[in-house]
Amino acid sequence: MDTSLLSQAQRLIDKVARQCTTGQAHGFMSASVYDTAWLSMLRNPADTKSWLFPECYDFVLQNQMPCGAWESYSTEVDGILNTAAALLVIKKHLKEYPSNQDWILRSQKAEAALKLLLSSWDVGRADQVGFEILVIKHLSLLEGEGMSFDFPGLTILRALHDAKLAKLPASTVYKARSTLHHSLEAFADRIEFDKLKCWLEENGSMLASPSSTAAYLMYSSTWDERAESYLRDTLMYGTGKRDGGVPPAWPTTIFETAWVITTLMEAGIPVGKAESSIISSFLEEALVSNNGVVGFAPSTLPDADDTAKVIATLHYLGRTVKVEPLLETFDADGHFRTYQGERNPGFSANCNVLRCLMMLEDSTRHRSQIARATSFLCEQAFDASVKEKWHTHELYWMMLLSQAFVQFFRLVQDKEESFGQEVFTQEPKLRQYIPMVSLQIVMNTLNSQALDGSWDDICEVTAYAVLTLSSMIQLPWVQELLNDNITQAIHQGKSFLEEHRDRWDKGYHLWIEKVTYASDILSETYCLAAIITLVTPCKSQADHSFSIPTKMIDGVKKAMGLISQTPLLSSIKPEALRTAESLAAYALWFLQHEHLEIFPHPANGKIDHKYQVFTPVIWFSCSVIHGSVTSLRTLCEMITFSIIIYQVDEYMEAIIERDFAESLPLVDTLVRKLCREMRAAPDANYRNGYDVTRCASNELASEEYVGFGKTESVLRNFIGYVLHHKAVLNSPQSLQQALARELETFLAAHITQAIDNQQFAIQQGATSTPTEQCAITSPTLLQYSTMGRTFYNWVRSTSADHTSCPFSFIFYICLISKPSSSIFRTARSAYLAEDLCRHLASLCRMYNDYGSVTRDREEGNLNSVNFPEFHIGVDGGRGKEREIKDELMRIAEYERGGLERAIKALGEELGDGNSMDALKIFIDVTDLYGQIYVQRDLTARNR
């Protein structure tokens, strides 16, 4: 180990050890305009015409930007709270000096800037400490100063505000310590602050919050010298700069001590005996005084995150600590809560609790909690629904989860066999969740590295990435696929860190409090750990607890061997396709847990599983092209959906066309009847326009439908699967109705195609019975002489709808859109999307027909090449079929041109790279199916 690095690490350890012994509180958070503004509003109790902390007001003014706002460090909430609090304090100072032109101009610009910030705020994505009550209160206080605010997200914000207070009513501030005491400024004019004196911490603060403590002083009828003393200490020691700014929380001694020590020791850096003794005693005392749990500073409100980290720190330092208080206090339904009354679970907090449990000597005693916590984390990542509430960058939680995965893998492999068996019996999907999530994290991390070796040109973030990859390479399914890529990325990341060593102790606003903050000491700690951590790939393991069944992986490899030769995938890097192959195999394994029985098995008992293997390979291959812009859950949902669409085709051809050959118009009526019942106007008994009470029975009104009972039941199950899907139910009513219409069109197109096939068979001199239809084996391409539709009309309507592309497209939009919204928010974007889809469907059908000419001829199916337009001026002979197929391909390429123009126009209209990339996955999947059909017909033979 580089001695200079070891010395630097030792200085950090000495630094945190000193703050554990001096008796003076410490903390290393950056200054917050928001909290400083609240100190600026305090009047001097000895002279009410003067301000208690004029240096704080100077700090606020000095940090206003030319646009009138105050800095949005990392999030929209930062800018809104900083600007709102700063504007409020300027307004209060103007009451004393109403003619100060500088302050008047500043307030005018600040008000305009705040309205602009609010108008563009995506409230649904915010999740910072107490933001839902803080923003509402500041807007209310500003309204008291004569301003008014209205913005698109206000209704959602009020709903979140009410939900928060429903869990923790304002009246609870009198009864017990809670997170509300950290944000008392949110209850200005709503509570009796005089009753809160008993909840002051030993250091005089309100839950270590400068702004909350300032609010307590401001709204109490009697002055509290302990609270003033705390604020003066915060000004003096809070940031270490003594420039008038205060941090968003102070002190944070336990938090920084635990994070620094665990991070450095996990990297292999030793802690000396003297420092170990000092730190251990400090942390043990904190645990004892709080009955086995701790917060981010001594005597503050305990939380699961800091408690888990402190137990881990003491474990590394050779001390034994009981974990039961942690479990008893924070164990919730399926996860661990960070604090009582929180709205959303903390992802990183659950990672840290899980890691703490797994490092214990008696970890097997906690197998149930370990299984539940791991499953919770995996499902959040699998659904792409991670809302990390304590850090802004996704690489932070990815780093923690990767470290947890390595611990979990070793625990399962090293402990007695019964441990793994019990864990996987309780949570069987973990065998697929962990490999799939870990592979996606690795690909995300590799793909986001810059050419200079950094991630986001930030040393601290680069360190997270290096530590993530250093963990992931220890997992066999990762190492065997991406060892060289990971090793190279780690080397380049470390090189960047070495070249920018002078930036290690310059933190960025990555950590979340009421507003985000930077931590120089944590930045330096993670950079040191990343540089020092040794890359230790796992030893080759032919068989382990996460090994894919051999038969399954062999089938997937065979499928990949075929599709990798298509034009779409021929230029994709081999390691990306190998990863897609592995993800597809795990998805195939995973979907065994999700098996749906909608359609009956064929009467002959033969089930063609070919498409079931190809489908996950196709979806994951297209996904790796565009990065992880859709969740693993969405991909698996679409794989299931695609397989069911294949089964629809099989059912329509093998059952409907065979058993109802003489009654196809009645089947068409039945399909339309069922679909239209589902499209009725919604009320209490409707879902997706589906009349639940009316459709509950399988009885049909007309005697004409005798013998249709099983068919109706099958169709109801299929329609119910589509229209009652959770993502569909969460979509806007207009999208649900569009899906129902396209579903009807899709099923009706199958009936129309069946009728066309019958007429085409009759034209060829055969009867319409299935047996005789199978005898049609003419080696030549016949013309379809039944007039009424041109090829253009057919391929743009019945034929395109028969592919399921338009119907599947809307279902996919439901999956990738946010709840109660659609990614198409303008008439033009919706129009362009529909145009794009029609080009895509027509292109896919032409490719499909190109590859299935022989099959369709043998089965008597109508194919594009049977339309008269393809026989104009074409002479007979052996070259006739090739000439006609070439003409079909030329028309297909014309459609491709239209598709590409629509993609370009829609991308410009959406202006959202992620949304368009998600759409491109669907486009590529559909296109890839067509390219595969040109090579090989995947459709099951039904005649």
Side-chain angles (χ1 to χ4, degrees):
M1 185 184 297
D2 186 327
T3 55
S4 66
L5 292 173
L6 187 59
S7 297
Q8 187 174 355
Q10 190 57 54
R11 285 195 294 273
L12 279 181
I13 294 170
D14 291 344
K15 189 173 186 178
V16 296
R18 283 197 304 275
Q19 77 169 10
C20 295
T21 57
T22 59
Q24 172 59 56
H26 286 276
F28 302 101
M29 290 183 178
S30 58
S32 154
V33 167
Y34 171 81
D35 288 86
T36 306
W38 272 92
L39 267 69
S40 304
M41 288 186 265
L42 284 172
R43 293 186 178 277
N44 191 331
D47 180 5
T48 56
K49 293 184 179 181
S50 64
W51 303 95
L52 185 62
F53 300 117
E55 65 269 44
C56 291
Y57 187 55
D58 291 340
F59 180 89
V60 170
L61 296 181
Q62 290 165 10
N63 282 276
Q64 187 176 21
M65 298 187 297
C67 67
W70 279 259
E71 188 176 355
S72 295
Y73 305 127
S74 291
T75 70
E76 294 173 300
V77 172
D78 291 346
I80 290 168
L81 284 178
N82 281 340
T83 304
L87 174 58
L88 183 62
V89 72
I90 291 175
K91 285 290 186 180
K92 288 187 177 295
H93 278 65
L94 274 171
K95 288 180 179 179
E96 297 294 323
Y97 302 97
S99 61
N100 189 308
Q101 294 301 309
D102 178 48
W103 295 356
I104 292 172
L105 180 60
R106 285 175 180 273
S107 69
Q108 292 171 344
K109 293 176 68 176
E111 182 177 352
L114 180 58
K115 289 180 177 178
L116 187 62
L117 289 169
L118 290 168
S119 67
S120 61
W121 182 24
D122 185 351
V123 177
R125 297 182 61 185
D127 194 19
Q128 285 176 232
V129 179
F131 83 93
E132 60 275 83
I133 57 176
L134 291 172
V135 175
I136 288 290
K137 173 48 64 178
H138 281 77
L139 296 181
S140 174
L141 292 173
L142 289 170
E143 286 172 0
E145 299 293 336
M147 291 168 274
S148 63
F149 300 90
D150 190 18
F151 54 97
L154 183 57
T155 301
I156 299 174
L157 181 63
R158 290 195 185 281
L160 294 174
H161 170 274
D162 295 344
K164 178 76 171 184
L165 293 184
K167 281 192 172 184
L168 281 174
S171 59
T172 61
V173 298
Y174 308 125
K175 301 173 183 177
R177 282 200 306 174
S178 72
T179 53
L180 295 182
H181 291 99
H182 193 69
S183 303
L184 290 176
E185 66 272 26
F187 304 103
D189 303 324
R190 287 191 58 188
I191 60 173
E192 298 179 59
F193 280 82
D194 287 341
K195 294 182 178 181
L196 301 180
K197 188 180 183 71
C198 61
W199 299 115
L200 280 179
E201 305 287 346
E202 293 179 6
N203 60 10
S205 75
M206 280 296 178
L207 208 57
S209 167
S211 53
S212 185
T213 308
Y216 162 71
L217 271 178
M218 190 181 308
Y219 292 101
S220 293
S221 62
T222 57
W223 194 255
D224 194 308
E225 292 184 357
R226 285 193 303 155
E228 179 186 345
S229 177
Y230 162 78
L231 292 177
R232 292 194 179 280
D233 285 344
T234 306
L235 262 174
M236 179 70 69
Y237 304 107
T239 67
K241 295 181 179 180
R242 302 184 183 182
D243 57 358
V246 296
W250 188 86
T252 49
T253 318
I254 290 177
F255 163 62
E256 280 145 354
T257 299
W259 260 251
V260 168
I261 298 303
T262 54
T263 302
L264 293 180
M265 293 194 73
E266 285 168 2
I269 297 170
V271 176
K273 288 184 178 181
E275 294 83 358
S276 175
S277 176
I278 292 169
I279 294 169
S280 297
S281 298
F282 173 74
L283 296 179
E284 285 175 329
E285 183 180 340
L287 281 171
V288 170
S289 64
N290 263 312
N291 300 313
V293 291
V294 294
F296 57 81
S299 79
T300 57
L301 186 70
D303 66 83
D305 208 8
D306 287 287
T307 301
K309 275 289 195 179
V310 164
I311 293 173
T313 303
L314 291 169
H315 173 81
Y316 283 129
L317 295 175
R319 305 297 177 96
T320 301
V321 181
K322 289 183 178 180
V323 76
E324 282 72 22
L326 168 67
L327 301 179
E328 292 167 3
T329 307
F330 301 109
D331 198 359
D333 183 20
H335 65 276
F336 293 94
R337 64 175 69 88
T338 311
Y339 289 104
Q340 299 289 339
E342 67 181 356
R343 186 164 52 85
N344 297 314
F347 192 88
S348 62
N350 275 270
C351 282
N352 287 327
V353 173
L354 173 61
R355 296 196 64 208
C356 171
L357 293 177
M358 291 192 293
M359 70 172 54
L360 301 175
E361 293 294 332
D362 59 348
S363 56
T364 55
R365 289 180 51 231
H366 309 292
R367 59 172 62 87
S368 178
Q369 290 99 329
I370 289 171
R372 282 191 293 111
T374 306
S375 182
F376 165 78
L377 294 168
C378 285
E379 287 183 0
Q380 295 276 304
F382 198 80
D383 295 345
S385 60
V386 175
K387 286 191 173 181
E388 171 47 36
K389 59 202 307 180
W390 307 114
H391 204 283
T392 63
H393 207 289
E394 66 176 4
L395 276 169
Y396 177 70
W397 69 257
M398 288 180 180
M399 172 189 69
L400 296 178
L401 188 58
S402 67
Q403 292 166 341
F405 280 170
V406 171
Q407 283 182 260
F408 186 90
F409 174 75
R410 289 176 176 167
L411 201 60
V412 170
Q413 294 299 109
D414 296 344
K415 293 290 183 180
E416 62 268 21
E417 188 176 344
S418 62
F419 176 81
Q421 290 175 345
E422 291 179 26
V423 167
F424 292 128
T425 298
Q426 181 179 334
E427 303 290 345
K429 293 179 184 179
L430 289 179
R431 289 188 189 273
Q432 298 88 41
Y433 272 154
I434 290 176
M436 293 179 75
V437 170
S438 58
L439 285 170
Q440 188 178 59
I441 287 175
V442 170
M443 291 302 292
N444 282 348
T445 306
L446 292 175
N447 291 336
S448 59
Q449 187 174 24
L451 293 176
D452 64 359
S454 77
W455 278 263
D456 294 349
D457 194 36
I458 299 173
C459 287
E460 187 174 351
V461 173
T462 300
Y464 300 156
V466 169
L467 290 169
T468 298
L469 295 176
S470 298
S471 292
M472 287 298 190
I473 203 171
Q474 300 175 55
L475 300 173
W477 57 88
V478 173
Q479 191 268 338
E480 64 188 14
L481 289 173
L482 298 163
N483 181 72
D484 292 345
N485 304 79
I486 293 174
T487 302
Q488 182 181 8
I490 291 173
H491 174 74
Q492 292 174 340
K494 288 189 173 187
S495 295
F496 174 84
L497 290 174
E498 288 169 351
E499 291 170 9
H500 299 86
R501 191 168 175 176
D502 59 322
R503 289 163 49 183
W504 291 5
D505 62 350
K506 296 175 178 60
Y508 278 72
H509 287 79
L510 301 170
W511 301 82
I512 298 175
E513 237 283 342
K514 295 176 191 176
V515 293
T516 60
Y517 64 93
S519 174
D520 293 345
I521 193 171
L522 293 184
S523 176
E524 186 176 3
T525 296
Y526 280 110
C527 290
L528 273 166
I531 283 288
I532 293 172
T533 295
L534 298 177
V535 179
T536 54
C538 70
K539 296 180 181 179
S540 178
Q541 298 187 44
D543 188 38
H544 51 77
S545 301
F546 301 87
S547 297
I548 304 169
T550 303
K551 185 177 180 180
M552 199 172 287
I553 192 66
D554 288 346
V556 168
K557 285 181 180 294
K558 187 176 180 180
M560 181 61 81
L562 173 66
I563 73 170
S564 62
Q565 300 173 33
T566 58
L568 182 65
L569 299 183
S570 59
S571 61
I572 304 302
K573 293 179 180 179
E575 62 269 19
L577 292 182
R578 289 198 304 271
T579 303
E581 182 180 276
S582 184
L583 283 166
Y586 278 112
L588 198 59
W589 193 11
F590 170 78
L591 290 174
Q592 291 181 347
H593 300 292
E594 308 285 312
H595 186 63
L596 292 174
E597 288 286 353
I598 294 177
F599 296 94
H601 295 301
N604 59 13
K606 294 181 179 179
I607 302 175
D608 188 345
H609 292 291
K610 181 169 51 182
Y611 62 80
Q612 296 185 13
V613 176
F614 271 85
T615 301
V617 177
I618 289 169
W619 273 98
F620 277 103
S621 295
C622 293
S623 175
V624 299
I625 296 174
H626 299 287
S628 302
V629 292
T630 59
S631 70
L632 291 167
R633 178 77 65 190
T634 293
L635 293 172
C636 286
E637 291 282 3
M638 285 307 297
I639 290 167
T640 299
F641 181 84
S642 301
I643 289 172
I644 289 174
I645 294 302
Y646 268 112
Q647 293 171 353
V648 173
D649 292 342
E650 288 181 344
Y651 182 76
M652 288 295 186
E653 293 184 17
I655 305 296
I656 299 300
E657 289 191 44
R658 183 193 68 199
D659 296 348
F660 298 91
E662 305 297 332
S663 308
L664 289 177
L666 287 177
V667 177
D668 182 72
T669 302
L670 172 62
V671 164
R672 296 183 185 279
K673 174 180 177 292
L674 293 176
C675 289
R676 287 173 184 176
E677 285 175 357
M678 299 176 184
R679 289 166 51 190
D683 63 18
N685 292 322
Y686 286 79
R687 291 178 292 177
N688 296 99
Y690 181 21
D691 188 340
V692 179
T693 57
R694 185 178 173 191
C695 298
S697 171
N698 283 341
E699 295 181 5
L700 293 166
S702 173
E703 293 181 1
E704 293 179 304
Y705 292 100
V706 173
F708 281 62
K710 288 184 179 179
T711 298
E712 186 204 11
S713 178
V714 169
L715 291 174
R716 284 188 189 280
N717 287 338
F718 170 62
I719 295 168
Y721 157 73
V722 174
L723 296 183
H724 297 169
H725 191 281
K726 181 179 178 181
V728 175
L729 293 172
N730 287 334
S731 298
Q733 190 66 30
S734 59
L735 203 55
Q736 295 181 37
Q737 293 294 319
L739 180 63
R741 288 193 301 270
E742 289 294 349
L743 172 58
E744 177 184 341
T745 303
F746 165 67
L747 292 173
H750 273 274
I751 308 302
T752 303
Q753 178 77 37
I755 293 171
D756 283 337
N757 291 343
Q758 282 186 350
Q759 294 174 341
F760 187 49
I762 293 171
Q763 175 194 321
Q764 298 175 76
T767 67
S768 60
T769 64
T771 302
E772 291 173 315
Q773 286 180 28
C774 290
I776 300 170
T777 57
S778 171
T780 60
L781 296 177
L782 298 179
Q783 293 187 48
Y784 184 36
S785 60
T786 302
M787 303 304 292
R789 285 174 296 171
T790 64
F791 170 66
Y792 176 89
N793 175 271
W794 178 77
V795 82
R796 285 295 187 94
S797 56
T798 301
S799 178
D801 294 326
H802 184 273
T803 66
S804 84
C805 178
F807 155 54
S808 302
F809 184 72
I810 296 181
F811 184 81
Y812 182 69
I813 297 306
C814 292
L815 291 179
I816 65 173
S817 297
K818 295 177 183 177
S820 303
S821 66
S822 169
I823 61 173
F824 306 126
R825 299 182 180 180
T826 65
R828 188 168 188 269
S829 66
Y831 183 92
L832 291 171
E834 194 165 348
D835 181 55
L836 181 157
C837 186
R838 192 55 56 174
H839 284 298
L840 182 62
S842 300
L843 174 67
C844 181
R845 180 54 190 252
M846 291 185 219
Y847 270 37
N848 188 326
D849 281 3
Y850 181 95
S852 60
V853 167
T854 300
R855 172 186 180 272
D856 287 339
R857 180 168 51 212
E858 292 173 355
E859 297 188 357
N861 296 328
L862 179 63
N863 187 292
S864 295
V865 299
N866 301 123
F867 275 78
E869 292 94 322
F870 288 94
H871 298 262
I872 300 172
V874 178
D875 296 328
R878 300 181 65 180
K880 178 180 178 180
E881 180 175 326
R882 170 53 55 194
E883 187 176 344
I884 288 175
K885 289 178 70 174
D886 287 347
E887 182 71 357
L888 177 62
M889 188 57 70
R890 282 194 290 272
I891 297 174
E893 290 311 306
Y894 173 81
E895 285 292 343
R896 182 177 294 281
L899 172 64
E900 290 172 351
R901 287 190 295 274
I903 291 172
K904 183 175 184 296
L906 182 59
E908 292 171 350
E909 179 70 17
L910 290 178
D912 177 359
N914 283 343
S915 293
M916 198 62 218
D917 282 341
L919 289 177
K920 285 178 180 176
I921 293 176
F922 180 91
I923 295 166
D924 284 351
V925 166
T926 308
D927 191 9
L928 185 55
Y929 272 117
Q931 294 182 25
I932 294 170
Y933 277 118
V934 171
Q935 291 185 331
R936 177 181 178 181
D937 184 3
L938 294 181
T939 309
R941 301 296 177 103
N942 291 303
R943 296 195 181 95

